[in-house]
Amino acid sequence: YEWSQDRPGPGAPPCPSPCQCEEDGMFIMVDCSEMGLSSVPASLSPLTTYLDLSMNNISEIQPRAFHRLHLLSELRISGNQLRYISGHALQGLHNLKVLMLQNNQLERLPGDAPWDLPNLLSLRLDANLLSEVPAEAFRGVRSLRHLWLDDNSLTEIPVAALDSLPSLQAMTLALNQITHIPDYAFNNLSALVVLHLHNNHIQTMGSKCFEGLHSLETLDLNYNDLREFPVAIRTLNKLQELGFHNNNIKAIPEKAFVGNPQLQTIHFYENPIQFVGKSAFQFLPKLHTLSLNGATQIREFPDLKGTTSLEILTLTRAGLSALPLDLCEQLPRLRVLELSHNQIEDLPSFFHCSALQEIGLQHNQIKRIESSTFQQSTSLRALDLSWNMIGWIHPDAFASLHSLIKLDLTENRLSSVPVGGLGGLTHLKLRGNTELYEAFSPDHFPHMRVIEMPYAYQCCVYGSCDSYKPAGQWDTEQSTNEELHKRTVAVYPVHADTHYDPDLEEFQLEIEEAKLQTSVQCTPTPGPFRPCDSLL
Amino acid sequence: QHKQLSGVTSGCQQGGCLTCSDYNGCLSCKPRFFMHLERIGMKQIGVCMTSCPPGFFGTRLPERNTCTKCRSECDSCFNKNFCTRCRAGFYLHLGKCLENCPDGLIRSDTQRECV
């Protein structure tokens, strides 16, 4: 809006001084914000539809201050010093839809003569000093849809007051001091879609505390003191987004989400979870991300029957020793599989995981890679097998990995590495394979940028040492910009069918990196004490 | 004196500022205020507000209060997944901005809602 203090045209409603006004057809919108006012301006036109009194020094609203403003639709009184607003103060606002009272010092709400705002849709009471809400407080705002009560001093859920709000669709009670959610706390809120309870001190919940929330889609219990898994969610069959991260929960029981088939995201990191029921994550056909870190009591891979849309599965620092043979049949859309820090010995075939782009298997006990393991993993871009016990890789193991750009085999027991299929690599790590003496010719890796070898002499083929540079040696310094552009584009070939949509920031970073680095960075770099000639 | 945004004066005169500079406006806000970076030409001005501007929703956290953009089809929203008013051409139903209303409901262009 362009507000102005210019005198309105003839017949136009007067603009109260020192406010600024904007005509809205025959109506008027009045902005008195940040004008040092200590009371509501007296001469407000009945044709006022919008009134902003925010950020002033108003500590009290005179009775009937707005009684002529029957057409007022939005009233903003946030950022003042109001301690109490009686029901009489808001008389006459029959058409009010939005009332903003946040950032005041409200200590209580009227209980005996509540506000009569029959058309109110949004009520902001956040950032005040409310320690309780009288049972009758909301009796006159039955059409309310959106309620902000966050950042107050509530110690209990205002159960009785909420009973008057059958049309409520979104509510936040976050940042209060609530410790318990009783049974039937929200029993009459059948239209509620969003409920935020984050940053309270909730320790316990009644097993029927969410009864009545037939429409709830988002439940936010993050940053509380819950010790038990919230089994009360079982009645929330429309739930799509659930958060209980940063709590104190140690176990996720069997069939934990049996009542929530619509779940798409579950955030529960930063919990000391030790045990997860094998059937906990079954039959969640819309779940696309599952992250479990440090649940040391997990011995078996979870049964993910019916959770067919999973794209990202992270299950690290647990006690897994094997993977199900039908892993990819259960999870055909898997894109990222992160299983580091387990005790996995044998790998199934990832044949049916055609969308798989990233595999993290570092810090396991894998000994062999068969020809079938990564067969048809044509979308695979990054494979981390470092810190295992791999002594043998089938010659055809990597044959179909056309999209692979990063391969980490650090700290294994390899004496040879099959290069077939690895032509697209830009990063290859082989450090710590003390039996691997072979020096790989650059011709195998035309796109290589960073390579780590067990011994320095293996870097000489990359022109990394002055004393050993035979004529005709492929010299990386003279790459022209055009060749560099071609190579850079090749690093990220666009596959129409791949779902990998690289993080734009990372993608631009890598392009910049490519421009800077025209030579292959091979380590360990040969030097006086690491000569080019192999000492053996 | 014109204002860029209803209820907010730019620069250091804002009531919600804790620290500020004449060039960048608010650098930090008083407790319980929302920090929002408002773009004016090439500059970004820090603004401290009691509610986020249209098209953004506020999230209150113990250490800070932030403004986050609503979905593109929302004019205003309660959180990322719940709109409270739709853009023209979209109609509100249970927090979603739809191009077509569910069976049994019709589109109200004045309210931009399924009624």
Side-chain angles (χ1 to χ4, degrees):
Chain A
Y1 305 116
E2 275 299 330
W3 304 86
S4 68
Q5 188 33 264
D6 306 338
R7 293 254 50 93
C15 183
S17 174
C19 307
Q20 301 185 36
C21 299
E22 167 74 14
E23 285 172 28
D24 178 18
M26 57 180 278
F27 305 111
I28 187 170
M29 299 161 64
V30 181
D31 179 6
C32 312
S33 62
E34 295 193 86
M35 300 220 166
L37 301 180
S38 53
S39 65
V40 178
S43 53
L44 288 164
S45 158
L47 297 174
T48 305
T49 54
Y50 172 95
L51 174 58
D52 187 350
L53 296 165
S54 59
M55 298 295 291
N56 281 296
N57 305 318
I58 301 170
S59 55
E60 185 188 9
I61 295 180
Q62 325 79 287
R64 296 166 56 82
F66 307 110
H67 76 281
R68 296 196 307 151
L69 306 188
H70 303 317
L71 302 177
L72 193 63
S73 176
E74 182 162 341
L75 174 57
R76 299 184 173 206
I77 325 178
S78 55
N80 280 279
Q81 280 90 49
L82 293 165
R83 294 186 176 284
Y84 178 71
I85 303 175
S86 73
H88 307 303
L90 301 181
Q91 251 175 3
L93 296 170
H94 308 312
N95 262 294
L96 195 64
K97 293 191 170 54
V98 176
L99 176 57
M100 291 193 176
L101 296 170
Q102 71 269 29
N103 289 74
N104 276 286
Q105 272 113 58
L106 294 174
E107 293 165 346
R108 56 194 178 88
L109 299 176
D112 44 0
W115 304 329
D116 180 19
L117 305 167
N119 286 296
L120 194 65
L121 299 179
S122 290
L123 174 56
R124 293 203 55 169
L125 292 166
D126 44 313
N128 277 288
L129 306 173
L130 299 170
S131 54
E132 60 176 8
V133 178
E136 304 298 315
F138 298 140
R139 187 155 44 83
V141 293
R142 294 189 65 81
S143 304
L144 200 64
R145 290 183 186 174
H146 322 124
L147 175 58
W148 287 260
L149 275 165
D150 49 328
D151 201 354
N152 275 284
S153 309
L154 300 176
T155 53
E156 292 176 354
I157 305 276
V159 178
L162 294 177
D163 252 357
S164 312
L165 300 174
S167 306
L168 198 63
Q169 295 178 11
M171 173 168 65
T172 175
L173 293 162
L175 277 88
N176 278 285
Q177 285 104 51
I178 297 166
T179 55
H180 172 69
I181 305 180
D183 281 340
Y184 307 105
F186 312 101
N187 200 38
N188 200 22
L189 302 184
S190 57
L192 198 67
V193 176
V194 173
L195 175 56
H196 289 291
L197 287 160
H198 64 84
N199 292 93
N200 274 281
H201 308 304
I202 300 169
Q203 292 178 7
T204 53
M205 314 165 103
S207 60
K208 294 185 172 52
C209 68
F210 296 132
E211 290 280 342
L213 294 174
H214 307 306
S215 306
L216 200 69
E217 295 179 4
T218 298
L219 175 59
D220 175 352
L221 292 165
N222 303 321
Y223 296 104
N224 277 288
D225 299 327
L226 287 171
R227 285 129 199 222
E228 302 293 333
F229 178 81
V231 292
I233 65 167
R234 192 150 292 178
T235 59
L236 305 174
N237 56 18
K238 292 263 183 63
L239 198 60
Q240 296 179 16
E241 187 176 355
L242 171 63
F244 54 93
H245 66 71
N246 291 83
N247 272 278
N248 216 347
I249 294 167
K250 297 178 178 56
I252 296 184
E254 296 288 353
K255 299 202 182 307
F257 306 102
V258 68
N260 319 107
Q262 304 291 326
L263 268 175
Q264 294 174 21
T265 59
I266 314 173
H267 301 296
F268 53 90
Y269 49 85
E270 295 302 335
N271 274 286
I273 291 173
Q274 299 300 306
F275 170 79
V276 175
K278 190 169 179 177
S279 61
F281 294 97
Q282 277 182 339
F283 305 113
L284 297 172
K286 295 191 175 180
L287 188 68
H288 42 74
T289 301
L290 173 53
S291 294
L292 264 162
N293 302 295
T296 52
Q297 289 175 26
I298 295 181
R299 288 283 171 265
E300 280 184 276
F301 196 83
D303 181 347
L304 297 170
K305 198 180 352 208
T307 300
T308 51
S309 298
L310 210 61
E311 292 185 20
I312 299 171
L313 173 58
T314 300
L315 218 169
T316 64
R317 298 178 193 282
L320 296 179
S321 55
L323 301 178
L325 295 177
D326 62 348
L327 172 66
C328 286
E329 279 84 346
Q330 274 195 0
L331 309 173
R333 292 196 192 157
L334 205 56
R335 206 161 39 82
V336 175
L337 179 62
E338 174 56 56
L339 299 172
S340 60
H341 294 278
N342 280 288
Q343 289 109 44
I344 299 167
E345 295 181 13
D346 300 310
L347 295 177
S349 166
F350 294 104
F351 183 82
H352 291 294
C353 285
S354 56
L356 205 49
Q357 291 173 15
E358 291 173 36
I359 297 180
L361 284 162
Q362 60 275 30
H363 291 281
N364 275 284
Q365 290 160 22
I366 301 163
K367 298 181 177 64
R368 304 163 51 94
I369 304 291
E370 304 295 347
S371 63
S372 61
T373 306
F374 301 113
Q375 198 179 14
Q376 292 310 314
S377 297
T378 53
S379 303
L380 197 59
R381 302 173 54 76
L383 176 56
D384 191 340
L385 292 164
S386 59
W387 299 92
N388 276 281
M389 294 183 251
I390 303 171
W392 180 79
I393 300 176
H394 188 284
D396 299 331
F398 301 142
S400 48
L401 303 188
H402 310 309
S403 305
L404 196 68
I405 53 173
K406 292 182 178 175
L407 174 59
D408 192 342
L409 288 162
T410 301
E411 293 293 347
N412 274 285
R413 299 174 183 171
L414 293 164
S415 53
S416 68
V417 175
V419 295
L422 298 181
L425 285 185
T426 60
H427 294 68
L428 173 59
K429 298 183 179 177
L430 294 165
R431 181 174 49 79
N433 290 277
T434 52
E435 303 294 317
L436 181 63
Y437 301 111
E438 179 188 355
F440 297 97
S441 158
D443 302 338
H444 293 309
F445 310 118
H447 304 289
M448 188 59 69
R449 292 208 333 267
V450 174
I451 188 166
E452 288 178 12
M453 300 302 289
Y455 302 103
Y457 74 83
Q458 292 165 312
C459 282
C460 293
V461 289
Y462 284 94
S464 304
C465 44
D466 298 332
S467 63
Y468 171 72
K469 200 171 179 183
Q473 160 75 36
W474 171 56
D475 192 332
T476 60
E477 278 77 14
Q478 263 80 43
S479 306
T480 60
N481 264 338
E482 189 195 323
E483 184 189 324
L484 177 70
H485 174 71
K486 233 181 297 165
R487 285 175 49 202
T488 308
V489 170
V491 168
Y492 289 93
V494 180
H495 287 259
D497 57 348
T498 182
H499 298 297
Y500 180 72
D501 47 348
D503 177 359
L504 190 61
E505 209 170 303
E506 184 187 345
F507 178 71
Q508 283 163 339
L509 203 68
E510 301 226 351
I511 284 189
E512 289 314 313
E513 212 178 281
K515 280 182 192 158
L516 292 174
Q517 292 211 357
T518 55
S519 63
V520 177
Q521 180 191 319
C522 185
T523 54
T525 311
F529 301 103
R530 285 184 295 209
C532 273
D533 303 324
S534 165
L535 296 180
L536 303 180
Chain B
Q1 184 187 4
H2 286 262
K3 285 186 185 138
Q4 282 78 13
L5 210 58
S6 155
V8 171
T9 318
S10 66
C12 279
Q13 303 85 7
Q14 291 173 60
C17 259
L18 188 61
T19 58
C20 75
S21 81
D22 265 334
Y23 186 78
N24 290 110
C26 296
L27 305 177
S28 64
C29 296
K30 290 176 184 171
R32 296 182 141 185
F33 279 79
F34 291 95
M35 164 62 90
H36 176 61
L37 289 180
E38 186 193 323
R39 185 180 294 278
I40 298 178
M42 287 298 290
K43 267 169 72 174
Q44 276 200 325
I45 297 287
V47 184
C48 294
M49 326 163 88
T50 54
S51 56
C52 295
F56 290 80
F57 69 94
T59 303
R60 291 189 186 277
L61 289 170
E63 56 283 355
R64 70 189 180 285
N65 302 309
T66 56
C67 294
T68 309
K69 213 165 179 22
C70 300
R71 285 179 185 277
S72 59
E73 65 271 20
C74 307
D75 264 357
S76 59
C77 65
F78 188 89
N79 72 13
K80 190 73 179 173
N81 295 317
F82 192 92
C83 302
T84 51
R85 180 174 166 74
C86 297
R87 203 158 44 89
F90 292 86
Y91 304 89
L92 186 63
H93 179 62
L94 285 178
K96 303 282 190 299
C97 284
L98 311 171
E99 289 185 82
N100 297 298
C101 293
D103 293 344
L105 298 174
I106 58 169
R107 301 191 293 194
S108 156
D109 281 299
T110 48
Q111 293 167 275
R112 295 183 189 171
E113 291 195 7
C114 297
V115 296

